[in-house]
Amino acid sequence: MSAPIDDNKTASISDEEGGEENPGSYSTKAGDKFNWPPLESNPEVFAKYLHSIGLPTTFSIGEVFGFDEDLLAFIPQPVLGIIVCYERLIPKSQYREQDKGSPDNYNKVAWYMHQSGKLDNACGIIACLHAIFNCPLVTLDPSTVLGSYKQRVESLSPTERKSALEKDTDFQKAHNVHAQRGQSSAITSDQSKVKHHFIAYVLNSEGDLVELDGTKAGPVVVGKVDGDLLRGSIREVKGKLERGEISESLSMMTFNLANE
């Protein structure tokens, strides 16, 4: 039986574990207007957003309609990154130790950044940055919003990359435009209405599946998946469901080459 896929999610995270001393944790005050409004978990919204800021049109965002093999067969290959949107049911303090992430894993991927309170609902675009910037096939024009940001932060630490995005007004303006699309457009200041959070999965240069979540202490190295990013990511999501860490209200998107 496949896990249900809910494709009408707006997403971010309101986390009780705040504090700038821990760059992987943050909180937002009730009633504050969002700096980075939530995005709907919709491939069309994401693709238009990413193309508008400089992702080449040879790449796109696809949708996983379910976990059954007959549905997975329709997904364009190769899958270069996975973006998952889900509702977390437990606080980070209750995660398994191996799922908390670690700064020791920074060098396990080509690129990683943290998320902060100022980047309140930017988890959707941060998940995309994790997928795109860890893909060696992507070449960006440095004159675009996306290419300029990557070039400026390439040599910076994950925390410094977070700070750079906080101050990137061109990026924020583009984000706000696309946050007005779809069902997320009405949510501008009430964090209690934002129940979901985006993360990314990628394969690193050693063939390990790695979970990238800017609210954690660092990347989570899952392990070998025989080169199958899609099914390896699905197994991880199923594990979170079985352990009661997330609800069945979830959606999954792919970062992949565009269909000709």
Side-chain angles (χ1 to χ4, degrees):
M1 180 177 180
S2 65
I5 296 289
D6 191 335
D7 59 1
N8 288 307
K9 292 284 143 296
T10 56
S12 183
I13 181 70
S14 57
D15 199 317
E16 76 286 352
E17 298 176 8
E20 286 302 308
E21 71 279 358
N22 183 347
S25 298
Y26 68 92
S27 61
T28 52
K29 296 179 181 178
D32 285 354
K33 187 173 181 179
F34 297 143
N35 297 311
W36 297 71
L39 295 168
E40 181 180 347
S41 182
N42 180 312
E44 183 177 358
V45 170
F46 273 75
K48 287 182 177 179
Y49 180 178
L50 293 168
H51 290 151
S52 76
I53 60 174
L55 178 69
T57 55
T58 49
F59 299 91
S60 193
I61 303 296
E63 187 167 7
V64 178
F65 293 100
F67 294 163
D68 289 334
E69 282 298 323
D70 56 345
L71 295 174
L72 300 182
F74 290 100
I75 295 174
Q77 298 292 329
V79 174
L80 307 172
I82 293 290
I83 299 161
V84 185
C85 175
Y86 52 57
E87 180 185 16
R88 299 200 288 199
L89 299 179
I90 63 173
K92 287 184 287 186
S93 59
Q94 295 180 20
Y95 290 170
R96 300 183 306 172
E97 197 62 35
Q98 65 264 38
D99 293 332
K100 293 181 179 180
S102 171
D104 292 340
N105 293 333
Y106 285 161
N107 64 354
K108 297 296 185 180
V109 289
W111 202 92
Y112 177 77
M113 71 174 291
H114 283 297
Q115 187 171 350
S116 66
K118 291 181 180 178
L119 297 172
D120 41 20
N121 295 293
C123 59
I125 191 61
I126 289 174
C128 291
L129 297 184
H130 281 140
I132 294 167
F133 293 168
N134 280 290
C135 178
L137 300 180
V138 178
T139 300
L140 299 172
D141 180 345
S143 69
T144 64
V145 170
L146 191 60
S148 173
Y149 173 73
K150 185 174 189 294
Q151 187 177 63
R152 285 184 288 108
V153 304
E154 192 68 42
S155 62
L156 301 183
S157 71
T159 300
E160 291 169 332
R161 290 168 179 166
K162 169 203 72 176
S163 298
L165 187 58
E166 291 172 352
K167 301 170 185 175
D168 195 323
T169 55
D170 288 338
F171 212 139
Q172 186 177 16
K173 287 176 183 177
H175 181 93
N176 288 341
V177 167
H178 291 278
Q180 294 302 310
R181 302 180 187 275
Q183 295 185 359
S184 60
S185 60
I187 304 175
T188 60
S189 63
D190 189 350
Q191 191 71 49
S192 68
K193 294 181 179 179
V194 183
K195 301 294 187 181
H196 293 73
H197 180 58
F198 284 102
I199 67 168
Y201 288 103
V202 300
L203 291 180
N204 67 10
S205 60
E206 298 176 358
D208 292 315
L209 181 68
V210 184
E211 177 191 312
L212 300 173
D213 178 348
T215 70
K216 290 189 174 183
V220 176
V221 179
V222 176
K224 304 297 181 186
V225 290
D226 297 322
D228 194 333
L229 171 59
L230 175 61
R231 289 168 181 80
S233 300
I234 288 173
R235 283 195 295 273
E236 278 302 296
V237 171
K238 285 183 174 180
K240 293 178 186 294
L241 284 166
E242 291 169 359
R243 294 191 295 272
E245 297 172 7
I246 63 175
S247 78
E248 291 188 342
S249 176
L250 63 94
S251 62
M252 180 180 285
M253 298 184 290
T254 60
F255 171 55
N256 49 262
L257 294 173
N259 290 326
E260 296 295 336

